[in-house]
Amino acid sequence: MKSNNTPPDSSGLKKVMRTRDLVIFGMVFMAPVSAQTLFAELSSVSSNHAVLSYLVALAAMFFTALSYGKMAGTFSSAGSTYSYTAKAIHPIAGFIAGWGILLDYLLMPILLCKLSAVYALELFPGVPFWVMLLVFFLPVTISNFLGAAISSIVNIIMTAIMIISLLLFVSFAIKHISGTDGMQGIFTFEGLYQADTFSFQAMMSGASIAVLSYLGFDAVTTMAEDSTVKGKMVGRAAVIALFMSAFLYCIQAYFATLITQTVGTFKSPDTAFFEIAQTVGGNSLALLVTLVISISGISTALAGQASASRIIFSMARDKRLPASFSKLHPRFKTPYISILTLAVLGYLGAVCIPLSIVYTIMVFGGLIGFICVNLSVISEFSIKRRKMMGLGFFSHFLFPAIGFLISTYILFSMDVIGKTVGVLWLIFGLVILGLTENGIKIKEISIDEFQ
């Protein structure tokens, strides 16, 4: 008697995404306007050095992005972080990496939908918060349920809207600054570095928050099985998305830092950018920025939910999670059980978990994944394949080692609450892994005895 637990073919996901779609997918996940939602918290923690914090975080992400590109060209599968670590180091290490970064992907839709709902309530104050959350979670879930082709169209539209909004803010900021301080006020070191408030530790703490904006470039590699391009190009798409987003973040943070010096204390950190936009462009620009931030949550949450569902799908396919999560919808070829589960958990999390807690714990999962992928490159190429000669020393050891060290330093610079919750999350995952594997063994024994 044969078991009916044969996992779906790895090619079951529809291959519809091109290089352009992958780059846009990564940018949408990172969200060009995420610098606006994080600015108040980032500026406060870094002592007004938001741009430097973004640049430090970019250094870690750059070397890690190279590692993702290297692994994507070697192992093209939907599991990304999980698959790379499992194949290069060990299946248990792969589970830890996948389960860790799953915390990032699970919390990203919660963060963005909750932020979007908070901003939307500025426009529609009479709507109950739980109803406003549904306005964002429902289209996200439906789009992912229908497949990557629909999601790609939504991503293109949303990326265009976010960039137009960003350019409008920068234009009004330049006009405002030049009108008060002249053209020399636009190009000033004050937007990057302020000697009287600078602190290396504060900058690194800021970098641990700035990483939030960059979380998502790696999500490009989770869509490898949805893509028509080869692994190496998937990795390049991740790097391109990373640098394009970093440029946009730094521009916004730079001008917002200059404007903040005239705004003073914000009424609410959660909607601080509304006040900044209002200062440079009046109510019209403030309303536009608020509207774009609100609807941007749909596309970013969509990308986060899609990435998380692919990791869960891959882990379940490898029998690291319950087999039901590896099922694909017969028509749309999407991991629909994973998508629906993430939607329910995300909505409940957005209702119950405060934004400050989400900020604190979210980075932990991403950094655990980044650390593991950097180690995977060293394990696979420097140790297993012994490709350390010539340029191989840089790409197979030095660069991933730098990515590992910077990611680790940022991890230890995190708030203690974030590290504590993150460790508890990993322990919880290992318990689930133990129960799942024991269940599989018991089932296999029962089948053998029946035969």
Side-chain angles (χ1 to χ4, degrees):
M1 182 176 179
K2 294 183 178 180
S3 169
N4 292 323
N5 291 323
T6 304
D9 189 304
S10 62
S11 62
L13 297 170
K14 283 187 177 180
K15 296 184 179 297
V16 296
M17 301 185 77
R18 295 169 290 175
T19 302
R20 178 201 66 187
D21 300 318
L22 290 172
V23 172
I24 292 175
F25 179 87
M27 291 187 67
V28 159
F29 198 148
M30 288 183 279
V33 296
S34 68
Q36 300 175 9
T37 59
L38 291 176
F39 178 75
E41 180 76 11
L42 176 57
S43 181
S44 174
V45 171
S46 66
S47 300
N48 296 323
H49 290 85
V51 177
L52 286 182
S53 293
Y54 268 120
L55 292 175
V56 170
L58 174 62
M61 298 305 101
F62 169 65
F63 290 108
T64 301
L66 293 180
S67 292
Y68 269 96
K70 178 65 67 174
M71 298 306 287
T74 307
F75 305 113
S76 296
S77 59
S80 182
T81 304
Y82 156 71
S83 297
Y84 304 158
T85 310
K87 293 173 181 176
I89 300 177
H90 190 276
I92 300 299
F95 179 87
I96 293 173
W99 187 258
I101 208 162
L102 195 59
L103 181 63
D104 164 26
Y105 293 157
L106 177 62
L107 290 176
M108 181 65 81
I110 293 176
L111 172 66
L112 269 298
C113 285
K114 190 156 189 167
L115 276 173
S116 296
V118 168
Y119 270 83
L121 289 175
E122 292 286 322
L123 304 177
F124 307 99
V127 179
F129 178 68
W130 66 271
V131 174
M132 189 62 75
L133 278 175
L134 286 175
V135 171
F136 294 98
F137 270 100
L138 285 176
V140 166
T141 305
I142 292 171
S143 295
N144 276 323
F145 191 91
L146 295 178
I150 299 296
S151 300
S152 294
I153 296 173
V154 175
N155 288 341
I156 291 172
I157 295 172
M158 286 308 308
T159 301
I161 292 174
M162 285 189 281
I163 290 178
I164 290 172
S165 169
L166 186 157
L167 292 175
L168 280 173
F169 166 72
V170 171
S171 299
F172 276 98
I174 291 174
K175 181 180 178 182
H176 176 82
I177 295 170
S178 61
T180 55
D181 300 324
M183 290 302 294
Q184 68 271 17
I186 299 174
F187 306 100
T188 171
F189 213 51
E190 289 289 310
L192 297 174
Y193 174 77
Q194 298 172 23
D196 56 334
T197 62
F198 179 78
S199 162
F200 180 79
Q201 183 57 47
M203 183 184 70
M204 293 305 297
S205 296
S208 71
I209 295 176
V211 167
L212 277 169
S213 290
Y214 292 120
L215 295 180
F217 78 87
D218 53 296
V220 171
T221 60
T222 67
M223 307 302 288
E225 289 184 31
D226 298 79
S227 173
T228 59
V229 298
K230 294 182 180 180
K232 287 185 178 180
M233 199 60 233
V234 173
R236 289 173 189 166
V239 175
I240 293 170
L242 174 66
F243 273 93
M244 290 180 69
S245 297
F247 175 71
L248 297 175
Y249 296 152
C250 288
I251 287 179
Q252 293 171 88
Y254 174 81
F255 284 108
T257 299
L258 295 179
I259 299 299
T260 300
Q261 297 177 16
T262 62
V263 173
T265 305
F266 300 116
K267 295 178 183 177
S268 170
D270 291 341
T271 56
F273 218 87
F274 178 88
E275 299 175 48
I276 294 174
Q278 197 171 41
T279 300
V280 301
N283 289 330
S284 297
L285 181 63
L287 288 173
L288 175 64
V289 166
T290 301
L291 181 62
V292 172
I293 289 175
S294 296
I295 61 178
S296 70
I298 293 178
S299 56
T300 305
L302 188 152
Q305 191 185 83
S307 299
S309 67
R310 267 57 178 185
I311 289 180
I312 292 174
F313 164 76
S314 184
M315 293 171 77
R317 186 172 60 188
D318 291 345
K319 297 183 179 180
R320 301 296 176 189
L321 289 176
S324 58
F325 289 113
S326 65
K327 292 181 179 179
L328 295 176
H329 190 276
R331 178 181 175 186
F332 303 115
K333 299 299 180 183
T334 52
Y336 67 103
I337 294 180
S338 299
I339 291 170
L340 295 176
T341 301
L342 289 167
V344 173
L345 291 176
Y347 179 78
L348 294 176
V351 171
C352 301
I353 305 176
L355 274 175
S356 58
I357 300 298
V358 177
Y359 280 134
T360 304
I361 64 178
M362 194 176 147
V363 176
F364 181 91
L367 290 173
I368 287 293
F370 298 162
I371 288 168
C372 289
V373 170
N374 282 309
L375 290 177
S376 295
V377 173
I378 295 173
S379 174
E380 181 67 26
F381 295 96
S382 294
I383 299 175
K384 290 183 180 179
R385 305 191 186 192
R386 300 180 183 277
K387 292 186 176 181
M388 285 277 287
M389 301 300 293
L391 294 178
F393 171 77
F394 295 94
S395 60
H396 300 153
F397 179 77
L398 183 59
F399 292 164
I402 294 174
F404 164 78
L405 291 173
I406 299 178
S407 297
T408 302
Y409 189 91
I410 294 175
L411 180 69
F412 282 99
S413 298
M414 285 180 57
D415 187 283
V416 66
I417 296 177
K419 289 183 283 191
T420 302
V421 174
V423 170
L424 291 175
W425 171 260
L426 294 180
I427 293 172
F428 176 59
L430 290 173
V431 171
I432 292 179
L433 174 63
L435 293 174
T436 301
E437 291 202 327
N438 285 333
I440 291 171
K441 289 176 183 177
I442 292 171
K443 192 173 233 181
E444 288 175 348
I445 291 171
S446 301
I447 291 172
D448 291 340
E449 288 177 349
F450 179 79
Q451 289 174 328

